[in-house]
């Protein structure tokens, strides 16, 4: 079954900006799906329509085969949403935010109490349950939003930039938590700027640019399309690097070069060519991950056309 089915979805804002241009998109039940795109690409608008925060101009959306217009109440029960902006009452206590949310869904007090304890514990917020939300850190507020979105145990969890502004170690914990939720069978859709996040978490990815889906497929498939990567070489001693046969080299300063490598070219070969020039290397790292390079080349191509 499809968790999400979108046909011809269009959104034109009052300022005449065409935020979504006849989008078609399908997400299968159980998938971990990433929607990636630059600032202003249309990700938040798309998610806003699915979660009933933005009114669409045209097209159809259904969640587990329930149309979000004609079967709104049923469709809504399937969705747990974690928006970018904090939208809980910051003067409420953590535990009350969850209990009240359960009330909106008509969940009994007993069940609500059990789920509140479970999700607050899983998200490391149980100790803070009697704290007012306004005194939580940014990362804790994000986790509180995730806990709250799970209280009615939705089949589809939609997260808009879940780890934006979250520190590195917390981000890894959140990734593990989301992976575990998906493993339990929950479908997850997230938007992200961090391509390494999409690469690590998502089985399928759609790339959105100027309100259009420009690429859509399995993460593996997309990565196999990436035909170049750029490595940064830190040199042991200052040197002026002469051209390396067949490689695009950019000398950043006298101890750093960037080398663009195509699929059939290797770091070992670059090391060998540098060695021939008597240049020793201190360290090598990737400039961007492969998905990042692919994303940039797709978006740049699209914008040039
Ligand atoms: P970001 O990563 O910055 O959140 P995004 O991909 O989520 O970007 P959207 O917020 O969906 O992009 O915006 C898509 C386009 O619609 C942008 O050009 C934006 O300026 C415009 N837009 C978004 N919200 C509104 C609004 N309420 N009124 C008018 N225009 C809007």
């Amino acid at each position: 079954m499809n968790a999400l089915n979108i046909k011809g979805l269009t959104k034109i804002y009052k300022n005449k900006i065409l935020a979504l241009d006849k989008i078609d998109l399908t997400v299968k039940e159980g998938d971990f799906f990433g929607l990636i795109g630059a600032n202003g690409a249309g990700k938040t608008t798309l998610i806003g329509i699915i979660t009933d925060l933005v009114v669409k101009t045209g097209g159809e959306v259904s969640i587990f085969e329930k149309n979000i217009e004609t079967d709104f109440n049923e469709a809504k029960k399937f969705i747990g949403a974690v928006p970018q902006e904090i939208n809980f009452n910051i003067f409420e206590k953590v535990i009350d935010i969850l209990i009240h949310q359960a009330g909106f869904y008509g969940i009994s007090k007993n069940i609500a109490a059990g789920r509140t304890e479970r999700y607050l514990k899983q998200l490391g917020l149980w100790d803070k349950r009697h704290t007012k939300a306004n005194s939580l850190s940014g990362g804790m507020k994000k986790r509180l939003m995730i806990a709250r979105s799970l209280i009615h145990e939705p089949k589809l969890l939609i997260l808009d930039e879940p780890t934006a502004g979250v520190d590195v170690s917390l981000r890894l914990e959140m990734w593990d938590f989301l992976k575990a939720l998906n493993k339990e069978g929950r479908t997850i859709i997230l938007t992200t700027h961090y391509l390494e996040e999409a690469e690590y978490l998502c089985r399928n990815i759609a790339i959105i640019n100027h309100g259009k889906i420009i690429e859509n497929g399995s993460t593996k498939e997309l990565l196999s399309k990436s035909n170049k990567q750029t490595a940064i070489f830190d040199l042991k001693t200052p040197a002026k690097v002469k051209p390396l046969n067949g490689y695009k080299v950019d000398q950043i300063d006298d101890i750093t070069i960037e080398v663009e490598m195509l699929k059939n070219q290797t770091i070992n070969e670059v090391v060998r060519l540098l060695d021939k020039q008597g240049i020793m290397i201190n360290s090598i790292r990737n400039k961007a991950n492969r998905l990042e390079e692919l994303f940039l080349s797709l978006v740049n191509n699209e914008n040039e056309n």
Side-chain angles (χ1 to χ4, degrees), residues 62 90 97 147 210 274 284:
S62 48
I90 53 167
I97 289 174
H210 295 311
L274 288 170
I284 306 166

Side-chain angles (χ1 to χ4, degrees), residues 67-188:
N67 187 293
I68 59 161
E69 275 173 303
T70 52
D71 307 308
F72 176 70
N73 285 335
E74 281 167 276
K76 199 179 165 198
K77 279 185 208 148
F78 291 135
I79 302 176
V82 183
Q84 250 182 67
E85 314 279 335
I86 280 148
N87 66 347
F88 49 70
N89 179 352
I90 53 167
F91 300 109
E92 268 190 311
K93 285 183 189 159
V94 166
I95 197 160
D96 293 339
I97 289 174
L98 265 70
I99 297 284
H100 291 156
Q101 180 79 356
F104 289 132
Y105 287 92
I107 298 165
S108 76
K109 275 197 174 145
N110 266 349
I111 293 180
R115 287 183 190 171
T116 297
E117 181 171 347
R118 176 169 161 220
Y119 289 121
L120 287 181
K121 278 186 174 162
Q122 281 183 358
L123 282 149
L125 289 171
W126 184 240
D127 291 348
K128 300 277 176 193
R129 62 192 179 281
H130 298 304
T131 305
K132 268 193 193 162
N134 63 354
S135 56
L136 297 180
S137 71
M140 287 175 185
K141 285 181 182 140
K142 268 262 148 78
R143 280 182 282 154
L144 175 56
M145 300 234 287
I146 296 180
R148 188 189 54 170
S149 74
L150 292 168
I151 203 78
H152 59 296
E153 310 224 303
K155 285 165 73 162
L156 171 63
L157 187 63
I158 302 182
L159 307 111
D160 197 1
E161 310 246 355
T163 60
V166 168
D167 72 50
V168 179
S169 67
L170 199 62
R171 186 189 302 172
L172 291 177
E173 273 175 38
M174 226 185 238
W175 284 0
D176 287 342
F177 180 69
L178 294 176
K179 269 206 157 167
L181 282 180
N182 177 246
K183 233 180 175 173
E184 286 171 11
R186 198 162 275 128
T187 312
I188 299 186

Side-chain angles (χ1 to χ4, degrees), residues 13-15 17 19 37-46 84 161 193:
Y13 281 106
K14 282 202 185 106
N15 52 4
I17 285 179
N39 282 117
K43 306 177 297 291
T44 301
T45 301
L46 179 60
Q84 250 182 67
E161 310 246 355
H193 274 134

Side-chain angles (χ1 to χ4, degrees), residues 7-22 45 49 54-61 68-69:
K7 277 213 174 76
L9 189 62
T10 302
K11 174 66 189 178
I12 305 170
Y13 281 106
K14 282 202 185 106
N15 52 4
K16 299 217 168 78
I17 285 179
L18 179 60
L20 298 177
D21 188 5
K22 298 197 196 80
T45 301
I49 292 171
V54 176
V55 180
K56 64 185 167 60
T57 318
E60 304 254 306
V61 179
I68 59 161
E69 275 173 303

Side-chain angles (χ1 to χ4, degrees), residues 152-264:
H152 59 296
E153 310 224 303
K155 285 165 73 162
L156 171 63
L157 187 63
I158 302 182
L159 307 111
D160 197 1
E161 310 246 355
T163 60
V166 168
D167 72 50
V168 179
S169 67
L170 199 62
R171 186 189 302 172
L172 291 177
E173 273 175 38
M174 226 185 238
W175 284 0
D176 287 342
F177 180 69
L178 294 176
K179 269 206 157 167
L181 282 180
N182 177 246
K183 233 180 175 173
E184 286 171 11
R186 198 162 275 128
T187 312
I188 299 186
I189 299 176
L190 60 77
T191 75
T192 185
H193 274 134
Y194 303 114
L195 297 180
E196 75 186 283
E197 179 161 280
E199 187 174 346
Y200 182 76
L201 290 175
C202 302
R203 221 165 293 129
N204 291 293
I205 285 176
I207 298 178
I208 183 168
N209 191 38
H210 295 311
K212 284 195 166 112
I213 303 280
I214 57 168
E215 200 56 72
N216 186 3
S218 80
T219 311
K220 268 196 193 142
E221 230 169 70
L222 285 181
L223 286 174
S224 71
K225 282 192 188 174
S226 126
N227 55 7
K228 62 173 188 197
Q229 61 171 326
T230 308
I232 302 173
F233 292 74
D234 296 312
L235 313 181
K236 269 214 168 108
T237 49
K240 174 94 189 76
V241 178
K242 294 187 197 110
L244 301 178
N245 196 11
Y247 291 86
K248 196 172 156 227
V249 181
D250 204 359
Q251 179 122 26
I252 305 299
D253 54 38
D254 57 359
I255 51 161
T256 320
I257 58 166
E258 284 183 11
V259 183
E260 191 179 289
M261 287 172 292
L262 301 175
K263 243 181 186 168
N264 57 345

